[in-house]
Amino acid sequence: MFGLPGNVETVQTTEEHFSKVFAGLPCDDQTRVEEQQRFSALDQLPDSDLPLLLEAFSEDEVRLTLKGMASRKAPGKDGIPPELLKAADTGPVLSKVFSVYARLGCVPTQWRQAIICPIYKMKGGKSVPTNYRPIAL
C-alpha cells in the first residue's frame, strides 16, 4: 500500500519522484549563504537608501491580493490561514517585507518550503508514485 510505514522502497521511490517534480527550486546550503550575505549588506546601507527598498509593493496592492485570497483553505507550513492574513490587516507589514525581498532579488528559504500532499490522479495503480500529483500547501 502506498506510503505505509515500513514500505521503505515505496517511500524512497515516492521521494525520488517528487524530488524530480520540484527539481531546480533553489533551497540548498549555497542559497542560504547567499541570502545571509545579502542581508548583512543591508546593515551597511545608508538610511537614505532604505525607502527605496520599501517601494516595490504598495500596501494597496498587497491588501487587494489578500482580499482576493480564497478563504477556508488549508494553511501552508507557517500554519497561518488566509482568514487571519485578511482580518489582521497585514497589508502594510507584508508590503514592506515583500518589497525588501524583491529589491534584494531573493526569496527566503522558508518561503520555498511546503507541506507536500500526494493526490491520486484517479488512473493507474495506487501503489505507483507517479500516479500521484504533489500538491504544495
Side-chain angles (χ1 to χ4, degrees):
M1 186 69 178
F2 178 77
L4 286 178
N7 193 341
V8 176
E9 184 180 330
T10 301
V11 171
Q12 289 173 338
T13 306
T14 302
E15 178 184 6
E16 182 180 312
H17 170 64
F18 285 177
S19 294
K20 289 176 185 174
V21 170
F22 293 106
L25 297 178
C27 57
D28 57 9
D29 290 334
Q30 179 61 33
T31 303
R32 289 187 190 103
V33 169
E34 290 171 6
E35 285 178 8
Q36 290 171 346
Q37 290 171 343
R38 287 184 179 127
F39 282 112
S40 65
L42 279 178
D43 293 334
Q44 299 170 18
L45 282 177
D47 289 341
S48 60
D49 287 352
L50 289 178
L52 295 174
L53 284 173
L54 302 177
E55 295 177 0
F57 292 92
S58 73
E59 291 178 20
D60 289 338
E61 287 175 309
V62 175
R63 278 190 185 110
L64 185 62
T65 302
L66 289 172
K67 185 178 178 180
M69 288 177 63
S71 296
R72 301 181 65 180
K73 297 292 182 183
K77 190 172 181 180
D78 60 10
I80 302 171
E83 294 83 0
L84 179 61
L85 292 171
K86 293 177 186 183
D89 190 25
T90 54
V93 172
L94 290 178
S95 68
K96 289 179 177 73
V97 171
F98 295 156
S99 294
V100 167
Y101 283 113
R103 297 288 184 195
L104 290 173
C106 67
V107 175
T109 301
Q110 296 87 344
W111 292 2
R112 292 188 298 263
Q113 297 173 347
I115 298 167
I116 307 297
C117 296
I119 306 295
Y120 181 57
K121 294 179 183 179
M122 304 301 286
K123 63 179 182 181
K126 287 188 176 184
S127 64
V128 180
T130 56
N131 291 336
Y132 287 80
R133 179 175 290 110
I135 302 297
L137 300 179

